[in-house]
DNA sequence: ATGCCATCAAGGTGATGA
């Protein structure tokens, strides 16, 4: 089965491109970030028409994550346990959603940007990554053989080769040691980078800024990742970054990142009335309510 | 060619992104 992650930078703006990409590439499960759509405004119908079920989480025009699947979609979870809030008033933002697709548990994750090193968003980013690490560690403690994919825009470049010019990032976020340590802590919890072995650098990126001809000049950043549990790593047989999708009018500034997994992926017909899969149980993250743990 | 900032809600601009 084929699993991908993609920061689409507005799903409604790019819905035709996303559907065409899914159909062209035969992707079974797509983790989407930056939908920039509330649940009510999420474009469900195009995915249903293409044979995908939808789980989405959006509470404002910012952030927003989703998982679409044509191989089953169940056990939907909204948000991370003990997720830190941000802002005034504090809000637990729409940055995480998980679901079981076939026998793989897939998470779509949009890690906070951090903005500037001295900005509150930066410490929020580090706390958010710690909450992600804790969730991943807990899941593997409960079942060390679980097939788990942590997919998304991590907003961290873990290695110097993951940006086109380290000098350009002096004093900036995404490359600082605390951010890299927080990313590595997720890896150390038992989640390996499934893509890098198949797409080694240098010069291999997943994001290119719209400004300053960054894409044609090949000046990008590797900040989108598919991290997998040991069992998923063992089942992964290929991976790539689809930089072709960054080309042309109306492209997202991020490229899709793809893994191929040697697991059965029977296409599941969308059950009548089950185009949208709502979360099972309560995680306390519904409809913008704020809970401080 | 890959091409010179884009998205949202709200409003005619500011916040956000990286």
């Amino acid at each position: 089965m084929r699993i991908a992650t993609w920061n689409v930078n507005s799903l409604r703006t790019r819905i035709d491109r996303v559907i065409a990409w899914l159909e062209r590439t035969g992707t079974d499960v797509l983790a989407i970030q930056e939908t920039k759509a509330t649940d009510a405004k999420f474009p469900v119908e195009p995915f249903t028409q293409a044979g995908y079920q939808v789980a989405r989480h959006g509470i404002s025009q910012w952030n927003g994550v989703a998982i679409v699947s044509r191989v089953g979609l169940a056990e939907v979870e909204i948000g991370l346990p003990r997720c830190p809030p941000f802002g005034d008033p504090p809000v637990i933002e729409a940055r995480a959603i998980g679901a079981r697709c076939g026998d793989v548990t897939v998470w779509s994750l949009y890690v906070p940007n951090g903005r500037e090193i001295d900005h509150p968003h930066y410490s929020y980013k580090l706390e958010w990554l710690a909450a992600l690490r804790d969730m991943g560690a807990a899941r593997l403690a409960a079942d060390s053989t679980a097939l788990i994919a942590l997919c998304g825009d991590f907003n961290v470049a873990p290695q110097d080769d993951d940006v086109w010019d380290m000098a350009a990032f002096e004093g900036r976020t995404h490359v600082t040691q605390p951010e890299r340590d927080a990313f590595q802590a997720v890896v150390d919890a038992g989640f390996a980078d499934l893509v890098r072995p198949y797409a080694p650098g240098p010069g291999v990126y997943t994001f290119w800024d719209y400004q300053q001809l960054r894409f044609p000049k090949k000046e990008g950043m590797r900040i989108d990742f598919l991290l997998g549990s040991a069992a998923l790593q063992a089942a992964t047989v290929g991976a790539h970054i689809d930089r072709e999708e960054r080309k042309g009018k109306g492209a997202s500034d991020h490229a899709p990142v793809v893994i191929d997994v040697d697991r059965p992926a029977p296409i599941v017909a969308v059950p009548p009335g089950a185009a949208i899969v709502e979360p099972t149980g309560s995680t306390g993250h519904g409809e913008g309510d704020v809970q401080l743990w």
Side-chain angles (χ1 to χ4, degrees):
Chain A
M1 101 159 120
R2 174 164 281 188
I3 303 172
T5 187
W6 192 3
N7 179 323
V8 298
N9 183 17
S10 173
L11 184 57
R12 282 171 290 167
T13 293
R14 256 168 277 292
I15 183 63
D16 291 348
R17 257 185 107 124
V18 171
I19 296 295
W21 185 86
L22 282 173
E23 296 188 326
R24 185 170 74 250
T25 60
T27 297
D28 298 302
V29 180
L30 178 61
I32 306 171
Q33 300 87 40
E34 277 209 270
T35 61
K36 294 186 176 179
T38 59
D39 287 356
K41 290 188 174 182
F42 192 100
V44 175
E45 186 65 17
F47 290 105
T48 307
Q49 288 297 316
Y52 293 80
Q53 288 175 277
V54 170
R56 76 272 188 265
H57 176 42
I59 58 176
S60 72
Q61 72 268 45
W62 309 120
N63 315 306
V65 286
I67 299 169
V68 300
S69 171
R70 62 177 189 180
V71 295
L73 189 55
E75 300 168 21
V76 173
E77 296 181 69
I78 301 297
L80 298 175
R82 292 173 295 281
C83 185
F86 183 77
D88 184 21
V91 171
I92 296 177
E93 298 177 316
R95 295 180 177 274
I97 187 170
R100 188 172 53 76
C101 305
D103 56 3
V104 180
T105 297
V106 174
W107 283 89
S108 180
L109 306 163
Y110 181 41
V111 177
N113 169 291
R115 300 184 187 168
E116 306 294 337
I117 290 171
D118 59 358
H119 193 283
H121 213 259
Y122 179 79
S123 50
Y124 167 52
K125 177 180 193 173
L126 298 179
E127 292 163 9
W128 201 97
L129 281 164
L132 174 61
R133 174 206 59 205
D134 290 348
M135 184 278 289
R139 299 304 163 94
L140 288 179
D143 178 6
S144 63
T145 68
L147 294 157
I148 304 174
L150 304 181
C151 311
D153 177 356
F154 283 74
N155 270 319
V156 177
Q159 302 181 12
D160 288 357
D161 279 349
D162 295 336
V163 298
W164 80 92
D165 178 11
M166 274 298 289
F169 287 84
E170 180 69 35
R172 311 278 307 277
T173 61
H174 292 64
V175 298
T176 67
Q177 198 58 49
E179 289 167 282
R180 288 177 170 179
D181 290 347
F183 179 88
Q184 185 62 38
V186 178
V187 174
D188 290 344
F191 298 93
D193 186 336
L194 302 179
V195 178
R196 195 183 292 272
Y198 295 95
V204 175
Y205 309 121
T206 65
F207 164 88
W208 300 261
D209 199 297
Y210 288 123
Q211 303 181 63
Q212 299 182 257
L213 290 169
R214 292 297 185 208
F215 185 58
K217 287 157 71 175
K218 306 185 190 305
E219 296 178 344
M221 308 169 71
R222 188 199 291 249
I223 53 175
D224 301 271
F225 297 93
L226 279 140
L227 306 184
S229 61
L232 184 63
Q233 182 183 29
T236 299
V237 295
H240 67 279
I241 298 163
D242 189 357
R243 69 179 297 282
E244 290 297 307
E245 184 58 34
R246 178 61 179 80
K247 298 178 181 179
K249 184 177 174 60
S252 169
D253 42 6
H254 295 252
V257 184
V258 182
I259 61 168
D260 288 303
V261 181
D262 183 20
R263 298 297 301 173
I267 306 302
V268 174
V270 179
I276 298 173
V277 183
E278 300 291 355
T280 51
S282 174
T283 54
H285 289 199
E287 295 309 313
D289 57 338
V290 176
Q291 301 207 354
L292 303 173
W293 282 277

